[in-house]
Amino acid sequence: MSSQLDPGLQPQRTALSWGRTGLSMTAVALLVLRAGIQEHQPVFLVVGALDMLCAILFFATASWRRSALALDKIHAASSAWMAGITALVAITSLAGTWLVLS
């Protein structure tokens, strides 16, 4: 992807969506961690910790995008960064789904 400026309202919507995703991931991570503590399941604790890490990454990205928007220096995110975060979210989602179904 090129690093050209991204005009319009799309950058604001994208920054807001990163924040909402981080918030929902935090809620899921806390529920998984709570289940791990109550059921004494270390696997739940590991998956909950990974989910919390993903949520922190989402909040950091949202914060970075908002500060870049304030300075009018918002650029399109790199493909490698987006692919890495997507893979991390997919893996933790699959692990959470497996834990719920098992």
Side-chain angles (χ1 to χ4, degrees):
M1 234 179 221
S2 66
S3 62
Q4 297 174 352
L5 289 176
D6 191 3
L9 294 177
Q10 184 61 38
Q12 287 92 358
R13 288 193 302 267
T14 302
L16 290 172
S17 70
W18 279 94
R20 286 190 306 269
T21 303
L23 183 63
S24 64
M25 289 188 74
T26 300
V28 169
L30 291 173
L31 289 173
V32 172
L33 286 170
R34 182 177 141 203
I37 291 170
Q38 287 179 344
E39 300 294 324
H40 303 291
Q41 293 289 330
V43 177
F44 279 43
L45 295 174
V46 170
V47 171
L50 286 174
D51 282 343
M52 191 60 76
L53 175 66
C54 288
I56 291 168
L57 285 173
F58 272 86
F59 279 125
T61 302
S63 176
W64 171 79
R65 288 189 68 86
R66 279 192 301 272
S67 64
L69 280 169
L71 299 173
D72 280 337
K73 292 185 177 183
I74 194 71
H75 294 280
S78 72
S79 298
W81 174 252
M82 292 295 116
I85 290 179
T86 302
L88 186 60
V89 169
I91 289 169
T92 57
S93 297
L94 289 172
T97 303
W98 175 76
L99 285 172
V100 168
L101 296 177
S102 63

